[in-house]
Amino acid sequence: MSKELLKAQQFRQAHALWSDDSLQLSDEQKKELEQLYEGSLGNYKQGNLITGKVVSITPDGVLVDIGFKSDGLIPLHEFAEHELKKITPGMNIEVILDELENIDGTVILSYEKAKAAKAWSAVMKLYDEGKPAEGVVTHKVKGGLNVDIGIPAFLPGSQIDVQRVTNFDEFLGQTITAYIIKVNQKRGNVIISRRKYLSEQRAEVRKKVLDTLSVGQIIQGSVKNITNYGVFIDIGGVDGLLHITDMTWGRILHPSEVVRIGDTVTVKVLALDPVNEKISLGMKQLQGNPWESLDSEIKVGSRIKGVISSITDYGLFIEVAKGVEGLAHISEISWTDRIADLNKYYKVGDTVETIVVSLDKENRRMSLSIKQLEKNPWDVVAEQFAVGQRIKGVVSNVTDFGVFVQLMPGVDGLVHVSDLSWTEHVKHPADMFKKGDTVEAVITDINKQKKKISLGIKQLEENPWDVIEQKYPVGTLVEGEVSKIADFGAFVKLPTGIEGLIHVSELPSGVQKLEEALQVGKKYTFKVIKVSKEEQKLGLSLKTEESSTAEPKKQKFAKGAAADGSTERAAKENNQRGSTSRREKSPHQEERRAPSEKLKSQLQLELEKHAARKAGEESNE
């Protein structure tokens, strides 16, 4: 329910005490009266900007005397906290006459509107002229800060500083200077940039500093930042780079070994780039070059002592004089040892003796060697050993590809797994040798350049495959031990160590599976049906041809799978089918016959001979 505003005219009556028609004002009097009215009440119009004097500060607001019949009141919420602290009784402030007389007859003033009106005017003027504005950071907002520059302005996080800022709290309450980069008066939005202002200020400072600097000048600066590749030095607001290679004549792994952040250092200007505003600085240039004053006794071939300054994966850095370091590459540490980790053998601060291999004073490079202090043991190898020589040595290491045998301290020879045996299939050398075993071998090759010696153990004996064709000609009956049975046949090891193969097709008649005729680990008599020295192959057969005079062989054969009487059955089949046509006979029916104790007819003998010849032809094929 709204209130009705009652005005004095509604209930007040005025009565003239006199009526004088003769009382008339002249034009001058009217003009004077109007001027008097305008002077006293003309300024008190709603929306006017008025200057008033603070009377007091109460919990209801700030009372301000504007020269009217009553004081005006400004609500406290229109003042920022920092503004309210500065207001004191008696000081003048500018306000907007918001309402001359409210329902309570109070004059309502607005400090906020007066400030906004002045601020917008000032903001637009600064924006148009491209000048920076000052303000106080009041609080954080999403993505940045709120800054009071007379009106609330937004300072994005990316525009706070030239470097990335992560902690916005450190700026709260600070007075900052920033450029106004965007204004939307209709929406009341203002965006400012402190970064732009700082960049401009630094650019001016850089220009002034660069104008005063010159190459070769010695200056002082403060360490501002340290990186892996160097140090940034602040020179009166301008950053210069002191590279790690220009910090000391010696070698360091990180700039923090020499300086710390905040240190004041003296440096020399090495190069200037005014266009890109880059300054290169040097610290070691303030001292003399130690390479130029290097002792004349230090030359190629001379023995010198030094202290290990650092250890890397590729070698040792050894300081041989103050500020002078040489590199002993990992390949120059030992003639024989395969060193993977230098830290196991050396530590920083150790004093070592070396020999100078190369020296380049101009480029400040020195190559050192530790192993060349001693004679190359491979020169001794060439003098003491020769290909074909038999040697004895101790197994120093066993690997999956061979055995290392020590010939002399620091010199090992390799017996490759393929040179362990002529006949044995060695799965792993560890099955035959272990570290510390004494073995005999033959030197098969010496390569001084590659520092390799090849040895062979099987070469101690004659290669049985070289005489295989003479020792086991086709048709020979041999005794061997079954070493392995596979689907396609069985492997038989002969007394010489050679393995032969009996194919599944070479089983006696009536035997379908190898397991029926052969057993692993047992010995049997076989017939040689194929020999190849080049291919190192030996073919065997269980279809052995036996005569009546070979009774002992029959008995020996009978110890194995032949004991089942398969040979006798084959002979009986041949006797029973002697009159059968040749084309009706199967290979299994023409098995070799066992000797018979009874007298045989001429026909039977001829049939047996024919069957034996045919079996021999099939075996050769």
Side-chain angles (χ1 to χ4, degrees):
M1 182 175 175
S2 61
K3 295 181 179 180
E4 183 180 359
L5 182 61
L6 300 178
K7 297 184 179 181
Q9 295 89 323
Q10 294 177 321
F11 57 85
R12 186 177 61 193
Q13 292 183 353
H15 301 279
L17 297 177
W18 66 88
S19 177
D20 189 359
D21 296 336
S22 62
L23 184 61
Q24 297 290 333
L25 296 177
S26 64
D27 294 336
E28 292 181 2
Q29 289 175 329
K30 288 181 180 180
K31 188 176 181 181
E32 185 179 351
L33 185 62
E34 288 175 0
Q35 289 177 352
L36 181 62
Y37 176 79
E38 291 292 336
S40 60
L41 299 177
N43 292 332
Y44 301 105
K45 290 183 180 179
Q46 188 173 349
N48 279 7
L49 181 65
I50 304 172
T51 301
K53 182 181 292 186
V54 176
V55 177
S56 64
I57 301 173
T58 68
D60 296 329
V62 178
L63 288 175
V64 179
D65 180 9
I66 60 172
F68 196 60
K69 62 181 180 179
S70 59
D71 296 334
L73 181 67
I74 305 174
L76 289 178
H77 66 77
E78 293 196 7
F79 294 92
E81 187 176 349
H82 67 278
E83 292 175 332
L84 198 59
K85 291 179 180 179
K86 296 179 181 179
I87 295 177
T88 58
M91 69 178 294
N92 293 328
I93 60 173
E94 290 184 318
V95 295
I96 289 288
L97 181 57
D98 208 13
E99 192 173 353
L100 187 60
E101 190 175 7
N102 65 0
I103 191 172
D104 298 322
T106 305
V107 177
I108 303 301
L109 305 176
S110 175
Y111 174 77
E112 191 174 40
K113 290 181 180 180
K115 185 176 68 172
K118 291 192 300 179
W120 272 110
S121 177
V123 165
M124 294 307 298
K125 183 178 180 182
L126 293 174
Y127 180 68
D128 293 337
E129 295 178 356
K131 294 181 179 179
E134 282 191 358
V136 178
V137 179
T138 57
H139 58 277
K140 289 193 301 183
V141 293
K142 184 178 180 181
L145 298 170
N146 188 287
V147 183
D148 183 5
I149 60 172
I151 57 174
F154 176 60
L155 175 59
S158 61
Q159 300 296 321
I160 294 176
D161 205 338
V162 291
Q163 295 178 346
R164 186 170 177 266
V165 176
T166 57
N167 184 17
F168 293 172
D169 292 333
E170 60 182 312
F171 292 93
L172 296 179
Q174 289 188 15
T175 299
I176 64 169
T177 304
Y179 276 106
I180 302 169
I181 57 176
K182 189 174 181 180
V183 175
N184 189 329
Q185 191 171 1
K186 184 177 180 180
R187 294 186 176 182
N189 293 335
V190 178
I191 299 176
I192 60 177
S193 172
R194 180 172 178 263
R195 177 179 180 174
K196 182 180 178 182
Y197 174 77
L198 293 177
S199 298
E200 187 177 282
Q201 295 299 308
R202 293 189 180 189
E204 294 179 2
V205 173
R206 275 195 214 98
K207 189 175 183 305
K208 292 179 181 178
V209 173
L210 289 171
D211 290 340
T212 59
L213 291 179
S214 60
V215 176
Q217 184 178 351
I218 298 174
I219 55 176
Q220 283 191 332
S222 177
V223 177
K224 183 178 180 180
N225 191 22
I226 298 176
T227 66
N228 292 330
Y229 55 87
V231 178
F232 286 95
I233 308 295
D234 184 3
I235 312 166
V238 181
D239 291 346
L241 175 62
L242 173 61
H243 198 269
I244 186 172
T245 57
D246 291 314
M247 297 184 71
T248 175
W249 290 107
R251 185 178 179 278
I252 56 174
L253 297 177
H254 197 272
S256 58
E257 298 177 24
V258 180
V259 296
R260 291 178 297 178
I261 292 178
D263 287 352
T264 300
V265 294
T266 303
V267 291
K268 185 177 183 179
V269 179
L270 303 181
L272 288 173
D273 185 356
V275 177
N276 296 312
E277 297 182 346
K278 290 184 179 181
I279 306 172
S280 297
L281 306 173
M283 185 183 290
K284 71 180 184 181
Q285 287 77 6
L286 298 174
Q287 304 170 354
N289 187 350
W291 287 86
E292 295 177 356
S293 57
L294 192 63
D295 193 343
S296 59
E297 294 183 359
I298 299 179
K299 56 186 178 181
V300 176
S302 60
R303 292 186 174 218
I304 56 175
K305 287 185 178 181
V307 178
I308 298 175
S309 58
S310 63
I311 301 175
T312 66
D313 294 336
Y314 53 87
L316 305 173
F317 283 93
I318 302 171
E319 187 177 33
V320 298
K322 185 65 176 178
V324 177
E325 288 183 341
L327 172 65
H329 195 268
I330 191 170
S331 62
E332 292 294 330
I333 302 300
S334 174
W335 287 111
T336 55
D337 294 337
R338 295 178 178 87
I339 298 176
D341 186 5
L342 289 168
N343 290 284
K344 293 182 179 179
Y345 301 87
Y346 303 95
K347 63 179 182 292
V348 175
D350 285 352
T351 300
V352 293
E353 187 177 8
T354 62
I355 188 170
V356 180
V357 177
S358 66
L359 180 62
D360 185 355
K361 292 183 179 181
E362 184 177 349
N363 294 312
R364 303 191 302 277
R365 290 183 179 179
M366 181 187 299
S367 297
L368 306 174
S369 175
I370 295 177
K371 73 179 184 180
Q372 293 187 32
L373 293 171
E374 301 175 354
K375 187 177 181 180
N376 187 350
W378 288 94
D379 294 336
V380 179
V381 168
E383 297 171 0
Q384 294 185 1
F385 301 98
V387 175
Q389 180 180 347
R390 289 193 172 206
I391 57 94
K392 279 188 177 181
V394 178
V395 175
S396 59
N397 193 19
V398 180
T399 66
D400 56 351
F401 57 85
V403 178
F404 286 95
V405 180
Q406 187 180 53
L407 303 184
M408 57 184 296
V411 178
D412 291 347
L414 172 64
V415 183
H416 194 267
V417 64
S418 62
D419 287 320
L420 292 175
S421 175
W422 290 112
T423 57
E424 295 289 339
H425 298 286
V426 182
K427 293 183 178 179
H428 197 285
D431 298 335
M432 300 177 63
F433 303 97
K434 64 180 182 296
K435 193 173 181 180
D437 288 349
T438 300
V439 297
E440 188 176 0
V442 175
I443 298 176
T444 59
D445 183 58
I446 298 176
N447 191 326
K448 180 181 175 182
Q449 286 71 28
K450 294 184 178 180
K451 300 178 182 178
K452 291 183 179 180
I453 298 179
S454 298
L455 305 175
I457 293 178
K458 72 180 184 180
Q459 286 80 359
L460 294 170
E461 300 175 353
E462 183 182 17
N463 186 355
W465 288 101
D466 291 341
V467 294
I468 187 68
E469 295 178 349
Q470 292 79 22
K471 193 165 186 176
Y472 301 115
V474 175
T476 304
L477 294 179
V478 295
E479 186 180 50
E481 181 181 326
V482 177
S483 58
K484 183 181 178 182
I485 296 178
D487 294 337
F488 55 87
F491 291 95
V492 179
K493 189 173 184 180
L494 303 184
T496 57
I498 291 177
E499 276 192 338
L501 173 66
I502 172 171
H503 196 267
V504 68
S505 63
E506 295 299 327
L507 293 175
S509 176
V511 180
Q512 301 297 327
K513 296 182 179 180
L514 288 165
E515 290 80 1
E516 296 177 8
L518 303 173
Q519 294 182 20
V520 175
K522 289 192 175 183
K523 294 183 178 180
Y524 303 91
T525 301
F526 304 92
K527 180 180 179 181
V528 179
I529 60 175
K530 184 177 180 181
V531 179
S532 176
K533 172 185 174 182
E534 292 76 15
E535 298 179 3
Q536 295 189 352
K537 291 183 179 179
L538 180 65
L540 302 175
S541 174
L542 268 177
K543 300 175 182 178
T544 58
E545 181 181 4
E546 299 177 352
S547 64
S548 59
T549 60
E551 183 63 24
K553 293 183 180 180
K554 173 190 172 184
Q555 292 175 355
K556 185 179 290 186
F557 187 83
K559 292 180 181 179
D564 61 357
S566 60
T567 307
E568 293 180 2
R569 286 198 303 271
K572 290 178 181 180
E573 289 176 2
N574 286 333
N575 290 335
Q576 292 172 358
R577 301 179 184 180
S579 60
T580 307
S581 175
R582 293 179 184 176
R583 63 177 176 269
E584 295 177 353
K585 295 179 181 180
S586 65
H588 294 289
Q589 294 170 345
E590 294 180 354
E591 290 290 331
R592 309 178 192 88
R593 293 167 296 174
S596 175
E597 296 178 359
K598 297 181 179 181
L599 295 175
K600 298 179 182 180
S601 65
Q602 186 65 33
L603 177 59
Q604 289 174 330
L605 294 175
E606 290 297 331
L607 288 173
E608 287 179 0
K609 290 180 181 179
H610 175 74
R613 284 197 300 271
K614 189 169 184 180
E617 292 174 358
E618 291 177 353
S619 299
N620 290 333
E621 291 176 356

